[in-house]
Each structure stands twice: as C-alpha cells, then as structure tokens.
Amino acid sequence: MAEEKRTRRTPEEMAAARDEKIAELEESIRAIEEKRAAAVAAYDEKIAAVNAKIEKIKEQKKAALAPKKRKPRRSKSAQLQQLIKQARKSGMKLDEIAEKLGIELEA
C-alpha cells in the first residue's frame, strides 16, 4: 500500500484559513449584535408603555387628591335676579317679562 503523505501547508495558507475563521466569527458577532439591538428596541417599547401607564395613574391620583370644583350655591332670590338680568340682556322690557310670567305690575 502506498501511503499518501500529508501535504504541508505554507504559513500563508494557514494565515488565510485563520483569516476566514476570523471573518466567520466577526459575521456571527454582527448577527448577535443585530439580535441584541432588536431585543433592546422591544424592551424600550415595553418600558415606554409602562411609563405611559404610570403617568396616567399619577394624573388620576392628582385628580383624586385635588379638591372638586363646585358651583357656588345661590338663593332663590339670587336666581330670580339672574333670570331677570338675562331677560333684560336679551332685549325684553319689564312689562314684557311681567306679561310672559302672567304678573301685573303696579305702577
């Protein structure tokens, strides 16, 4: 049997093979970095959504703790005065207002 001897590679060939390995590994690093960037973007979106919920809850808390605005209460006589003012602003005269209400004014 004839033995085949292994051919020796030159140092340049060994360096070229290692350069190919380095290129493959650098490509795998790029792929991993792309995946990491996508994952970071997804987590950033989730964080932004949670922060929006927190802001909404803070606004609700602020609204709950703030005193409620209430309309000032007016007496019936003050309400009547307001009604008469509005009627006069709309151009009605006292006689017309009394006529609509069915009241006779004493002169």
mmCIF file of all heavy atoms in Angstrom, residues 3-38:
data_model
loop_
_atom_site.group_PDB
_atom_site.id
_atom_site.type_symbol
_atom_site.label_atom_id
_atom_site.label_comp_id
_atom_site.label_asym_id
_atom_site.label_seq_id
_atom_site.Cartn_x
_atom_site.Cartn_y
_atom_site.Cartn_z
ATOM 1 N N GLU A 3 1.425 4.803 0.825
ATOM 2 C CA GLU A 3 0.949 5.797 1.787
ATOM 3 C C GLU A 3 0.987 7.180 1.156
ATOM 4 O O GLU A 3 1.939 7.536 0.491
ATOM 5 C CB GLU A 3 1.839 5.798 3.024
ATOM 6 C CG GLU A 3 1.639 4.585 3.859
ATOM 7 C CD GLU A 3 2.409 4.706 5.142
ATOM 8 O OE1 GLU A 3 2.591 5.830 5.651
ATOM 9 O OE2 GLU A 3 2.813 3.657 5.652
ATOM 10 N N GLU A 4 -0.103 7.862 1.382
ATOM 11 C CA GLU A 4 -0.116 9.231 0.889
ATOM 12 C C GLU A 4 0.356 10.119 2.014
ATOM 13 O O GLU A 4 -0.148 10.054 3.127
ATOM 14 C CB GLU A 4 -1.522 9.642 0.454
ATOM 15 C CG GLU A 4 -1.982 8.966 -0.796
ATOM 16 C CD GLU A 4 -3.299 9.538 -1.261
ATOM 17 O OE1 GLU A 4 -3.546 10.728 -1.069
ATOM 18 O OE2 GLU A 4 -4.079 8.755 -1.794
ATOM 19 N N LYS A 5 1.293 10.906 1.668
ATOM 20 C CA LYS A 5 1.805 11.811 2.684
ATOM 21 C C LYS A 5 0.964 13.063 2.697
ATOM 22 O O LYS A 5 0.479 13.527 1.661
ATOM 23 C CB LYS A 5 3.258 12.157 2.394
ATOM 24 C CG LYS A 5 4.185 11.029 2.646
ATOM 25 C CD LYS A 5 5.588 11.506 2.599
ATOM 26 C CE LYS A 5 6.530 10.394 2.979
ATOM 27 N NZ LYS A 5 7.897 10.842 2.983
ATOM 28 N N ARG A 6 0.811 13.553 3.882
ATOM 29 C CA ARG A 6 0.045 14.786 4.044
ATOM 30 C C ARG A 6 0.896 15.933 3.511
ATOM 31 O O ARG A 6 2.073 16.048 3.826
ATOM 32 C CB ARG A 6 -0.254 14.998 5.523
ATOM 33 C CG ARG A 6 -1.345 15.992 5.756
ATOM 34 C CD ARG A 6 -1.717 16.016 7.188
ATOM 35 N NE ARG A 6 -0.627 16.705 7.929
ATOM 36 C CZ ARG A 6 -0.660 16.996 9.199
ATOM 37 N NH1 ARG A 6 -1.686 16.631 9.918
ATOM 38 N NH2 ARG A 6 0.317 17.624 9.773
ATOM 39 N N THR A 7 0.238 16.775 2.730
ATOM 40 C CA THR A 7 0.997 17.910 2.204
ATOM 41 C C THR A 7 1.022 18.995 3.247
ATOM 42 O O THR A 7 0.022 19.251 3.923
ATOM 43 C CB THR A 7 0.369 18.465 0.914
ATOM 44 O OG1 THR A 7 -0.965 18.826 1.188
ATOM 45 C CG2 THR A 7 0.437 17.459 -0.193
ATOM 46 N N ARG A 8 2.140 19.564 3.369
ATOM 47 C CA ARG A 8 2.263 20.648 4.343
ATOM 48 C C ARG A 8 1.772 21.929 3.724
ATOM 49 O O ARG A 8 2.041 22.233 2.568
ATOM 50 C CB ARG A 8 3.712 20.785 4.776
ATOM 51 C CG ARG A 8 4.189 19.569 5.491
ATOM 52 C CD ARG A 8 5.309 19.939 6.406
ATOM 53 N NE ARG A 8 5.684 18.755 7.167
ATOM 54 C CZ ARG A 8 5.763 18.734 8.459
ATOM 55 N NH1 ARG A 8 5.530 19.815 9.149
ATOM 56 N NH2 ARG A 8 6.108 17.641 9.091
ATOM 57 N N ARG A 9 1.053 22.691 4.594
ATOM 58 C CA ARG A 9 0.568 23.990 4.133
ATOM 59 C C ARG A 9 1.620 25.034 4.444
ATOM 60 O O ARG A 9 2.334 24.947 5.446
ATOM 61 C CB ARG A 9 -0.738 24.365 4.824
ATOM 62 C CG ARG A 9 -1.852 23.425 4.447
ATOM 63 C CD ARG A 9 -3.179 23.890 4.958
ATOM 64 N NE ARG A 9 -3.160 23.953 6.436
ATOM 65 C CZ ARG A 9 -4.109 24.523 7.179
ATOM 66 N NH1 ARG A 9 -5.141 25.072 6.598
ATOM 67 N NH2 ARG A 9 -4.029 24.526 8.475
ATOM 68 N N THR A 10 1.612 26.014 3.635
ATOM 69 C CA THR A 10 2.558 27.097 3.850
ATOM 70 C C THR A 10 2.011 28.007 4.934
ATOM 71 O O THR A 10 0.795 28.004 5.217
ATOM 72 C CB THR A 10 2.772 27.916 2.559
ATOM 73 O OG1 THR A 10 1.543 28.528 2.215
ATOM 74 C CG2 THR A 10 3.288 27.050 1.425
ATOM 75 N N PRO A 11 2.849 28.790 5.548
ATOM 76 C CA PRO A 11 2.349 29.738 6.562
ATOM 77 C C PRO A 11 1.314 30.705 6.014
ATOM 78 O O PRO A 11 0.375 31.082 6.708
ATOM 79 C CB PRO A 11 3.611 30.478 7.002
ATOM 80 C CG PRO A 11 4.740 29.572 6.677
ATOM 81 C CD PRO A 11 4.291 28.777 5.481
ATOM 82 N N GLU A 12 1.421 31.066 4.753
ATOM 83 C CA GLU A 12 0.424 31.961 4.144
ATOM 84 C C GLU A 12 -0.940 31.276 4.046
ATOM 85 O O GLU A 12 -1.978 31.894 4.272
ATOM 86 C CB GLU A 12 0.886 32.410 2.751
ATOM 87 C CG GLU A 12 2.058 33.356 2.745
ATOM 88 C CD GLU A 12 3.385 32.619 2.862
ATOM 89 O OE1 GLU A 12 3.453 31.395 2.557
ATOM 90 O OE2 GLU A 12 4.348 33.255 3.309
ATOM 91 N N GLU A 13 -0.933 29.981 3.712
ATOM 92 C CA GLU A 13 -2.196 29.243 3.631
ATOM 93 C C GLU A 13 -2.830 29.106 5.015
ATOM 94 O O GLU A 13 -4.051 29.227 5.166
ATOM 95 C CB GLU A 13 -1.953 27.860 3.030
ATOM 96 C CG GLU A 13 -1.623 27.878 1.561
ATOM 97 C CD GLU A 13 -1.243 26.510 1.033
ATOM 98 O OE1 GLU A 13 -0.828 25.641 1.833
ATOM 99 O OE2 GLU A 13 -1.385 26.312 -0.179
ATOM 100 N N MET A 14 -2.011 28.854 6.026
ATOM 101 C CA MET A 14 -2.541 28.758 7.389
ATOM 102 C C MET A 14 -3.107 30.103 7.848
ATOM 103 O O MET A 14 -4.159 30.161 8.487
ATOM 104 C CB MET A 14 -1.440 28.282 8.345
ATOM 105 C CG MET A 14 -1.073 26.829 8.156
ATOM 106 S SD MET A 14 0.022 26.186 9.431
ATOM 107 C CE MET A 14 1.596 26.861 8.925
ATOM 108 N N ALA A 15 -2.432 31.183 7.500
ATOM 109 C CA ALA A 15 -2.908 32.514 7.863
ATOM 110 C C ALA A 15 -4.223 32.823 7.154
ATOM 111 O O ALA A 15 -5.148 33.402 7.736
ATOM 112 C CB ALA A 15 -1.855 33.567 7.540
ATOM 113 N N ALA A 16 -4.327 32.417 5.872
ATOM 114 C CA ALA A 16 -5.555 32.648 5.108
ATOM 115 C C ALA A 16 -6.718 31.872 5.727
ATOM 116 O O ALA A 16 -7.850 32.384 5.824
ATOM 117 C CB ALA A 16 -5.352 32.252 3.652
ATOM 118 N N ALA A 17 -6.473 30.636 6.162
ATOM 119 C CA ALA A 17 -7.530 29.835 6.790
ATOM 120 C C ALA A 17 -7.979 30.493 8.087
ATOM 121 O O ALA A 17 -9.179 30.529 8.397
ATOM 122 C CB ALA A 17 -7.015 28.421 7.054
ATOM 123 N N ARG A 18 -7.033 31.013 8.826
ATOM 124 C CA ARG A 18 -7.396 31.692 10.073
ATOM 125 C C ARG A 18 -8.139 32.998 9.801
ATOM 126 O O ARG A 18 -9.032 33.376 10.550
ATOM 127 C CB ARG A 18 -6.153 31.905 10.918
ATOM 128 C CG ARG A 18 -5.647 30.579 11.463
ATOM 129 C CD ARG A 18 -4.587 30.732 12.505
ATOM 130 N NE ARG A 18 -4.300 29.419 13.086
ATOM 131 C CZ ARG A 18 -3.131 28.796 12.968
ATOM 132 N NH1 ARG A 18 -2.145 29.367 12.307
ATOM 133 N NH2 ARG A 18 -2.961 27.623 13.515
ATOM 134 N N ASP A 19 -7.764 33.691 8.729
ATOM 135 C CA ASP A 19 -8.494 34.908 8.349
ATOM 136 C C ASP A 19 -9.950 34.584 8.017
ATOM 137 O O ASP A 19 -10.867 35.337 8.358
ATOM 138 C CB ASP A 19 -7.816 35.582 7.144
ATOM 139 C CG ASP A 19 -6.545 36.321 7.524
ATOM 140 O OD1 ASP A 19 -6.380 36.632 8.730
ATOM 141 O OD2 ASP A 19 -5.720 36.595 6.619
ATOM 142 N N GLU A 20 -10.183 33.447 7.351
ATOM 143 C CA GLU A 20 -11.552 33.026 7.047
ATOM 144 C C GLU A 20 -12.333 32.754 8.327
ATOM 145 O O GLU A 20 -13.497 33.148 8.454
ATOM 146 C CB GLU A 20 -11.530 31.773 6.160
ATOM 147 C CG GLU A 20 -11.064 32.014 4.743
ATOM 148 C CD GLU A 20 -10.964 30.726 3.941
ATOM 149 O OE1 GLU A 20 -11.430 29.656 4.427
ATOM 150 O OE2 GLU A 20 -10.403 30.786 2.828
ATOM 151 N N LYS A 21 -11.683 32.083 9.288
ATOM 152 C CA LYS A 21 -12.348 31.810 10.576
ATOM 153 C C LYS A 21 -12.687 33.117 11.277
ATOM 154 O O LYS A 21 -13.771 33.261 11.851
ATOM 155 C CB LYS A 21 -11.442 30.957 11.469
ATOM 156 C CG LYS A 21 -11.408 29.532 11.108
ATOM 157 C CD LYS A 21 -11.834 28.748 12.315
ATOM 158 C CE LYS A 21 -11.808 27.293 11.899
ATOM 159 N NZ LYS A 21 -12.665 26.481 12.654
ATOM 160 N N ILE A 22 -11.735 34.062 11.244
ATOM 161 C CA ILE A 22 -11.963 35.357 11.883
ATOM 162 C C ILE A 22 -13.142 36.058 11.228
ATOM 163 O O ILE A 22 -14.010 36.614 11.910
ATOM 164 C CB ILE A 22 -10.691 36.237 11.814
ATOM 165 C CG1 ILE A 22 -9.606 35.652 12.728
ATOM 166 C CG2 ILE A 22 -11.001 37.676 12.185
ATOM 167 C CD1 ILE A 22 -8.247 36.309 12.566
ATOM 168 N N ALA A 23 -13.230 36.021 9.906
ATOM 169 C CA ALA A 23 -14.338 36.657 9.187
ATOM 170 C C ALA A 23 -15.668 36.014 9.570
ATOM 171 O O ALA A 23 -16.678 36.702 9.769
ATOM 172 C CB ALA A 23 -14.106 36.564 7.683
ATOM 173 N N GLU A 24 -15.695 34.660 9.676
ATOM 174 C CA GLU A 24 -16.919 33.973 10.082
ATOM 175 C C GLU A 24 -17.343 34.388 11.482
ATOM 176 O O GLU A 24 -18.530 34.639 11.743
ATOM 177 C CB GLU A 24 -16.708 32.458 10.040
ATOM 178 C CG GLU A 24 -16.583 31.874 8.657
ATOM 179 C CD GLU A 24 -16.235 30.385 8.689
ATOM 180 O OE1 GLU A 24 -16.293 29.783 9.788
ATOM 181 O OE2 GLU A 24 -15.919 29.842 7.622
ATOM 182 N N LEU A 25 -16.379 34.454 12.388
ATOM 183 C CA LEU A 25 -16.697 34.830 13.764
ATOM 184 C C LEU A 25 -17.167 36.282 13.846
ATOM 185 O O LEU A 25 -18.095 36.598 14.595
ATOM 186 C CB LEU A 25 -15.485 34.596 14.670
ATOM 187 C CG LEU A 25 -15.105 33.121 14.865
ATOM 188 C CD1 LEU A 25 -13.800 33.016 15.650
ATOM 189 C CD2 LEU A 25 -16.209 32.369 15.565
ATOM 190 N N GLU A 26 -16.541 37.157 13.061
ATOM 191 C CA GLU A 26 -16.986 38.565 13.051
ATOM 192 C C GLU A 26 -18.405 38.681 12.509
ATOM 193 O O GLU A 26 -19.196 39.487 12.996
ATOM 194 C CB GLU A 26 -16.017 39.413 12.241
ATOM 195 C CG GLU A 26 -14.702 39.672 12.952
ATOM 196 C CD GLU A 26 -13.707 40.437 12.096
ATOM 197 O OE1 GLU A 26 -13.928 40.540 10.865
ATOM 198 O OE2 GLU A 26 -12.722 40.920 12.670
ATOM 199 N N GLU A 27 -18.738 37.865 11.519
ATOM 200 C CA GLU A 27 -20.103 37.864 10.979
ATOM 201 C C GLU A 27 -21.094 37.381 12.039
ATOM 202 O O GLU A 27 -22.183 37.924 12.179
ATOM 203 C CB GLU A 27 -20.175 36.981 9.732
ATOM 204 C CG GLU A 27 -21.532 36.972 9.076
ATOM 205 C CD GLU A 27 -21.980 38.338 8.582
ATOM 206 O OE1 GLU A 27 -21.123 39.134 8.158
ATOM 207 O OE2 GLU A 27 -23.197 38.606 8.642
ATOM 208 N N SER A 28 -20.704 36.371 12.815
ATOM 209 C CA SER A 28 -21.596 35.889 13.864
ATOM 210 C C SER A 28 -21.764 36.965 14.946
ATOM 211 O O SER A 28 -22.856 37.121 15.505
ATOM 212 C CB SER A 28 -21.085 34.588 14.472
ATOM 213 O OG SER A 28 -19.902 34.811 15.215
ATOM 214 N N ILE A 29 -20.711 37.726 15.208
ATOM 215 C CA ILE A 29 -20.821 38.832 16.174
ATOM 216 C C ILE A 29 -21.816 39.864 15.666
ATOM 217 O O ILE A 29 -22.659 40.362 16.421
ATOM 218 C CB ILE A 29 -19.440 39.473 16.435
ATOM 219 C CG1 ILE A 29 -18.573 38.531 17.261
ATOM 220 C CG2 ILE A 29 -19.589 40.819 17.130
ATOM 221 C CD1 ILE A 29 -17.133 38.994 17.416
ATOM 222 N N ARG A 30 -21.740 40.189 14.362
ATOM 223 C CA ARG A 30 -22.687 41.164 13.788
ATOM 224 C C ARG A 30 -24.125 40.667 13.914
ATOM 225 O O ARG A 30 -25.035 41.434 14.244
ATOM 226 C CB ARG A 30 -22.336 41.437 12.328
ATOM 227 C CG ARG A 30 -21.262 42.477 12.177
ATOM 228 C CD ARG A 30 -21.091 42.915 10.715
ATOM 229 N NE ARG A 30 -19.666 42.825 10.431
ATOM 230 C CZ ARG A 30 -19.061 41.888 9.695
ATOM 231 N NH1 ARG A 30 -19.769 40.969 9.096
ATOM 232 N NH2 ARG A 30 -17.769 41.881 9.521
ATOM 233 N N ALA A 31 -24.343 39.385 13.663
ATOM 234 C CA ALA A 31 -25.693 38.821 13.770
ATOM 235 C C ALA A 31 -26.190 38.901 15.214
ATOM 236 O O ALA A 31 -27.353 39.258 15.467
ATOM 237 C CB ALA A 31 -25.697 37.377 13.283
ATOM 238 N N ILE A 32 -25.312 38.600 16.157
ATOM 239 C CA ILE A 32 -25.695 38.662 17.576
ATOM 240 C C ILE A 32 -26.013 40.099 17.974
ATOM 241 O O ILE A 32 -26.978 40.359 18.704
ATOM 242 C CB ILE A 32 -24.579 38.066 18.458
ATOM 243 C CG1 ILE A 32 -24.490 36.555 18.225
ATOM 244 C CG2 ILE A 32 -24.817 38.368 19.927
ATOM 245 C CD1 ILE A 32 -23.269 35.907 18.840
ATOM 246 N N GLU A 33 -25.205 41.060 17.478
ATOM 247 C CA GLU A 33 -25.457 42.462 17.807
ATOM 248 C C GLU A 33 -26.780 42.942 17.231
ATOM 249 O O GLU A 33 -27.493 43.734 17.855
ATOM 250 C CB GLU A 33 -24.301 43.329 17.316
ATOM 251 C CG GLU A 33 -23.054 43.197 18.157
ATOM 252 C CD GLU A 33 -21.880 44.004 17.621
ATOM 253 O OE1 GLU A 33 -21.961 44.503 16.478
ATOM 254 O OE2 GLU A 33 -20.887 44.134 18.351
ATOM 255 N N GLU A 34 -27.146 42.460 16.032
ATOM 256 C CA GLU A 34 -28.438 42.818 15.447
ATOM 257 C C GLU A 34 -29.587 42.278 16.304
ATOM 258 O O GLU A 34 -30.575 42.967 16.542
ATOM 259 C CB GLU A 34 -28.544 42.281 14.021
ATOM 260 C CG GLU A 34 -27.673 43.012 13.031
ATOM 261 C CD GLU A 34 -27.699 42.382 11.648
ATOM 262 O OE1 GLU A 34 -28.470 41.407 11.437
ATOM 263 O OE2 GLU A 34 -26.944 42.852 10.783
ATOM 264 N N LYS A 35 -29.435 41.045 16.775
ATOM 265 C CA LYS A 35 -30.467 40.461 17.644
ATOM 266 C C LYS A 35 -30.572 41.253 18.943
ATOM 267 O O LYS A 35 -31.667 41.500 19.446
ATOM 268 C CB LYS A 35 -30.137 38.995 17.962
ATOM 269 C CG LYS A 35 -30.353 38.057 16.814
ATOM 270 C CD LYS A 35 -30.020 36.637 17.221
ATOM 271 C CE LYS A 35 -30.132 35.668 16.080
ATOM 272 N NZ LYS A 35 -29.776 34.291 16.479
ATOM 273 N N ARG A 36 -29.411 41.649 19.490
ATOM 274 C CA ARG A 36 -29.414 42.415 20.728
ATOM 275 C C ARG A 36 -30.100 43.758 20.524
ATOM 276 O O ARG A 36 -30.904 44.185 21.347
ATOM 277 C CB ARG A 36 -27.987 42.632 21.237
ATOM 278 C CG ARG A 36 -27.959 43.428 22.543
ATOM 279 C CD ARG A 36 -26.581 43.596 23.079
ATOM 280 N NE ARG A 36 -25.811 44.452 22.176
ATOM 281 C CZ ARG A 36 -24.577 44.845 22.413
ATOM 282 N NH1 ARG A 36 -23.945 44.425 23.482
ATOM 283 N NH2 ARG A 36 -23.947 45.617 21.567
ATOM 284 N N ALA A 37 -29.816 44.408 19.395
ATOM 285 C CA ALA A 37 -30.447 45.697 19.114
ATOM 286 C C ALA A 37 -31.964 45.550 18.998
ATOM 287 O O ALA A 37 -32.724 46.394 19.493
ATOM 288 C CB ALA A 37 -29.871 46.298 17.837
ATOM 289 N N ALA A 38 -32.403 44.461 18.357
ATOM 290 C CA ALA A 38 -33.849 44.224 18.233
ATOM 291 C C ALA A 38 -34.463 43.979 19.605
ATOM 292 O O ALA A 38 -35.555 44.495 19.915
ATOM 293 C CB ALA A 38 -34.112 43.040 17.313
#
